[in-house]
């Protein structure tokens, strides 16, 4: 008996340096190999926001090796769920995909103290998404 393929989730924000990196890291951390995780930006930055890296380190998740990636049509087409986080009209739309738009503060230019509540809100949304997908989150 074959197991169904893991659902794939794409996180998209403008720079792929903050919110989408947090979302991808939490989903990877909490779902393991039960979900395929991607993140991208419509205008990727040169590096992940250092305050975001530090805020994630505080909760035991190291994203220091991550780099912002450009959003491609292929990434959207190969994803079951596309979660946008402030990329506006830059996100391509394909029928049959599940789109979710998460309205979140932008951590760009913010310090770690301002990133923490954004990080915590994203974690809660990820836990809710896992429940919707019927996937038990790791502890």
């Amino acid at each position: 008996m074959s197991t169904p393929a893991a659902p794939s989730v794409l996180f998209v924000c403008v720079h792929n340096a903050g919110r989408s990196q947090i979302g991808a890291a939490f989903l990877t951390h909490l779902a393991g190999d039960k979900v395929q995780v991607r993140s991208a930006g419509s205008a990727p930055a040169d590096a992940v926001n250092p305050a975001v890296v530090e805020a994630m380190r505080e909760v035991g998740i190291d994203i220091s090796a991550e780099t912002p990636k450009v959003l491609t049509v292929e990434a959207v087409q190969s994803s079951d769920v596309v979660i946008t986080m402030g990329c506006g009209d830059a996100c391509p739309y394909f029928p049959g995909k599940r789109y979710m738009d998460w309205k979140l503060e932008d951590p760009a230019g913010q310090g770690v103290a301002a990133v923490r509540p954004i990080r915590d809100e994203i974690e809660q949304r990820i836990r809710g998404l896992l429940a919707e997908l019927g996937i038990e989150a790791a502890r």
Side-chain angles (χ1 to χ4, degrees):
M1 201 166 136
S2 66
T3 57
S8 58
V9 178
L10 170 65
F11 294 92
V12 184
C13 66
V14 175
H15 301 295
N16 190 222
R19 295 165 289 189
S20 56
Q21 292 283 349
I22 294 170
F26 269 124
L27 186 54
T28 299
H29 180 74
L30 294 170
D33 61 359
K34 297 179 191 128
V35 178
Q36 295 174 11
V37 182
R38 299 178 183 89
S39 72
S42 52
D46 293 330
V48 175
N49 180 333
V52 168
V53 172
E54 180 57 31
M56 293 303 289
R57 186 177 289 123
E58 290 177 354
V59 295
I61 300 174
D62 182 6
I63 63 169
S64 60
E66 296 298 325
T67 56
K69 295 166 264 322
V70 69
L71 176 64
T72 64
V73 169
E74 294 79 19
V76 177
Q77 287 177 322
S78 60
S79 298
D80 300 309
V81 179
V82 179
I83 299 174
T84 58
M85 302 169 150
C87 70
D89 295 336
C91 296
Y93 177 82
F94 293 98
K97 302 290 174 197
R98 178 176 174 197
Y99 287 86
M100 302 171 80
D101 186 38
W102 290 358
K103 305 277 189 228
L104 299 158
E105 291 295 318
D106 188 347
Q110 305 288 333
V112 175
V115 173
R116 287 183 188 118
I118 300 167
R119 173 200 67 200
D120 295 345
E121 183 174 350
I122 292 172
E123 179 184 9
Q124 290 311 306
R125 290 181 187 219
I126 294 297
R127 289 182 181 279
L129 175 65
L130 285 169
E132 287 177 35
L133 295 172
I135 296 170
E136 187 174 343
R139 299 275 171 227

